[in-house]
Amino acid sequence: MRPLLFAVTTDLNYDQRMQRICGSLAAHGYSVLLIGREWPHSQPLSPQPYKQHRLRCLFKKGKLFYLEYNLKLFLYLIRQRASIWCAIDLDTALPIWLRATLGGQPFVYDAHELFTEVPEVVGRPIIKRVWQQVEKFIVPRTTLAYTVGPALADWFVQQYGQPFAVVRNISRLEVAELPPTPMADPANGYILYQGVLNEGRGLEALLDAMPQIKVRLIICGEGDLSASLRERAQKLGLLASGQVEFRGFVLPDELRLITRQASLGIMLLENRGLSYYYSLANKFFDYLHAAVPQLIVDFPEYRRLNDLYDVAEVVELTPDALAAAINRLLFDDPERYHQLASNCRRARLELNWQREEQTLLALYATLLQPVSIPA
């Protein structure tokens, strides 16, 4: 087998996109090594059909973290052998590019987001300029590049004239996952937010809306705003009443169970940079695959898919608008709720990883041929 090496800065246990990508490539004859980051709270690595390795860092965030991680990553890469080297986002790109160049081998760039336009970077001009220089250096030097949605791909093409393919972050179709009919009484369920607790996710407005809503909110994930969001919920009396529950990090298998039992999913973003505006997040597809209607913002990728499949309600990102939309779907308009849930069931037959992975496999087949696996 000719090996592929991927590097991310995430904890591999929770990175569902990389689990899908690496799992598909491994299942089709490639030898895959995925490198990630180990946190103090990291659980043992979940078994996967590919090799995994996590790097432990002294620094947790900021410039010192990126410097430390990139140095440790490069020192680790020097001891590895691969036929293709793939960087996930700009924060792993320089050491992966350098290792690929030293070996005279293909360098692949997988842009999960527009790194120079995330809220944590947009508001810091000096930091943004640094990452823009990294991007201007990296993107023209790729052998193969792809990203998560057409809007981001178009942006990269316009900026650099470099071809960018699209491999969407779509859930795997599990036919046996769903009950035979949608939830009979969605008011008896709960609202679910899954994902990172970072700036620009609309979570402050959602918490402010909760006193007007009679169902629970479950939040799965952690991030830079973990402490401030818990403090906000506490001040609103939402923790003491049990109306909001922070579950922290949840492994993918457990998260799928939680999602299937939800009444409504939350897919909210603020227009805090082009990365969010052009995004196509995995949670949109996770809710859809669980036949859970969701609230979305009016950004291009979500609007385009919703115009095709009608699986969500588009809302304005204010507490009053969120409360009104949630109460309408869960209490006042059961016909609309069940229509959305039924549309999700139909859409998942077209929007699923089994179809999307064919694009991924075709891209890597242009770089080298996998080894056939006996049936």
Side-chain angles (χ1 to χ4, degrees):
M1 291 186 181
R2 300 178 69 183
L4 316 181
L5 187 144
F6 296 81
V8 295
T9 57
T10 58
D11 185 328
L12 306 183
N13 281 339
Y14 306 99
D15 196 328
Q16 295 188 65
R17 176 171 170 84
M18 292 314 301
Q19 290 174 5
R20 282 190 281 267
I21 286 175
C22 294
S24 290
L25 290 167
H28 287 82
Y30 296 98
S31 174
V32 178
L33 169 61
L34 175 61
I35 303 167
R37 173 186 185 182
E38 183 175 351
W39 291 78
H41 57 255
S42 289
Q43 301 296 313
L45 283 168
S46 303
Q48 300 292 345
Y50 49 85
K51 298 177 182 177
Q52 304 175 88
H53 181 77
R54 290 186 297 203
L55 301 173
R56 183 176 299 178
C57 292
L58 177 64
F59 298 99
K60 303 300 182 287
K61 61 181 180 178
K63 296 184 287 293
L64 291 177
F65 161 70
Y66 288 115
L67 182 62
E68 179 187 13
Y69 186 84
N70 275 255
L71 178 60
K72 287 187 172 180
L73 176 58
F74 180 71
L75 293 176
Y76 181 80
L77 296 175
I78 286 294
R79 305 191 300 271
Q80 304 304 311
R81 296 291 179 267
S83 298
I84 297 175
W85 306 82
C86 182
I88 311 302
D89 289 323
L90 287 183
D91 49 0
T92 65
L94 288 174
I96 292 287
W97 167 81
L98 182 55
R99 182 63 184 87
T101 301
L102 291 174
Q105 293 160 321
F107 166 59
V108 177
Y109 181 48
D110 178 352
H112 287 192
E113 59 190 355
L114 184 51
F115 201 88
T116 58
E117 286 285 330
V118 297
E120 296 84 356
V121 171
V122 167
R124 304 166 71 187
I126 295 176
I127 299 298
K128 180 174 180 176
R129 283 197 293 271
V130 171
W131 286 116
Q132 283 176 328
Q133 292 305 310
V134 174
E135 185 181 82
K136 290 176 182 178
F137 179 85
I138 285 296
V139 173
R141 289 168 170 80
T142 58
T143 311
L144 169 67
Y146 54 93
T147 187
V148 296
L152 279 181
D154 290 344
W155 185 91
F156 279 111
V157 171
Q158 291 171 11
Q159 288 292 119
Y160 297 103
Q162 184 84 359
F164 256 77
V166 174
V167 179
R168 294 176 296 180
N169 200 0
I170 299 183
S171 310
R172 179 172 290 278
L173 179 63
E174 302 290 349
V175 177
E177 278 189 350
L178 297 178
T181 57
M183 180 178 294
D185 185 2
N188 288 331
Y190 49 79
I191 307 164
L192 174 65
Y193 171 85
Q194 54 161 284
V196 179
L197 309 188
N198 281 355
E199 294 181 48
R201 304 296 178 111
L203 293 167
E204 296 90 345
L206 178 62
L207 290 177
D208 291 347
M210 288 306 297
Q212 304 178 56
I213 302 167
K214 298 179 182 179
V215 296
R216 288 188 302 147
L217 167 64
I218 292 179
I219 297 175
C220 296
E222 297 287 0
D224 295 340
L225 299 185
S226 290
S228 64
L229 290 172
R230 284 175 168 84
E231 182 180 351
R232 193 185 198 98
Q234 184 176 19
K235 288 181 178 178
L236 291 167
L238 300 172
L239 297 184
S241 68
Q243 194 177 1
V244 172
E245 180 181 351
F246 289 85
R247 293 280 181 94
F249 288 112
V250 178
L251 291 172
D253 286 347
E254 182 184 353
L255 183 59
R256 279 189 284 274
L257 291 174
I258 294 171
T259 305
R260 290 203 299 271
Q261 296 166 5
S263 298
L264 190 68
I266 299 297
M267 176 50 251
L268 303 175
L269 292 169
E270 300 170 32
N271 192 355
R272 302 276 294 276
L274 294 179
S275 186
Y276 281 10
Y277 186 69
Y278 289 142
S279 68
L280 185 54
N282 66 294
K283 66 172 68 69
F284 176 88
F285 297 107
D286 288 348
Y287 298 143
L288 183 153
H289 270 250
V292 174
Q294 58 186 293
L295 300 186
I296 61 172
V297 287
D298 192 8
F299 289 179
E301 296 286 18
Y302 307 109
R303 167 63 78 176
R304 183 179 63 83
L305 286 173
N306 201 49
D307 285 346
L308 288 172
Y309 296 102
D310 191 26
V311 294
E313 288 287 297
V314 179
V315 295
E316 294 183 5
L317 197 52
T318 67
D320 287 345
L322 292 173
I326 291 170
N327 287 329
R328 183 174 63 253
L329 276 178
L330 299 187
F331 297 98
D332 302 331
D333 196 349
E335 183 177 349
R336 175 60 176 160
Y337 179 90
H338 287 96
Q339 177 189 14
L340 292 174
S342 296
N343 291 345
C344 287
R345 291 168 175 272
R346 288 191 292 270
R348 66 200 289 271
L349 301 178
E350 297 182 22
L351 299 172
N352 57 68
W353 182 249
Q354 284 88 330
R355 290 192 174 194
E356 198 70 14
E357 74 173 351
Q358 300 308 312
T359 301
L360 174 79
L361 296 172
L363 290 173
Y364 279 89
T366 66
L367 301 178
L368 54 82
Q369 293 298 319
V371 178
S372 298
I373 297 179

